[in-house]
Amino acid sequence: MSRDFADQASDLTEFLTGIALQNAKGAANRLRPTGYCHNCDEPLGGEPYFCDGDCRDDWEKRERNRK
């Protein structure tokens, strides 16, 4: 069965998304706890990097777009 352009585009999109996620995870692993959210600078209680999931997601999105 031959593959059409849509299949090839889908495969490429999946591949590039995987790379972007790995890069974002690598960047997050380089963070060091500071006592403040790395996105909005709010003081943190127990979480070492971000005050909530939204701040984490915003930071990861910016990191992906930076590259």
Side-chain angles (χ1 to χ4, degrees), residues 24-41:
K25 288 177 184 175
N29 290 336
R30 291 189 303 267
L31 292 177
R32 300 290 178 253
T34 62
Y36 295 90
C37 177
H38 284 275
N39 188 59
C40 71
D41 292 326

Side-chain angles (χ1 to χ4, degrees), residues 9-54:
S10 177
D11 289 347
L12 179 60
T13 299
E14 185 177 333
F15 175 73
L16 294 175
T17 300
I19 290 173
L21 288 171
Q22 289 299 323
N23 287 340
K25 288 177 184 175
N29 290 336
R30 291 189 303 267
L31 292 177
R32 300 290 178 253
T34 62
Y36 295 90
C37 177
H38 284 275
N39 188 59
C40 71
D41 292 326
E42 286 291 319
L44 298 176
E47 169 65 36
Y49 305 111
F50 302 101
C51 61
D52 61 25
D54 290 335

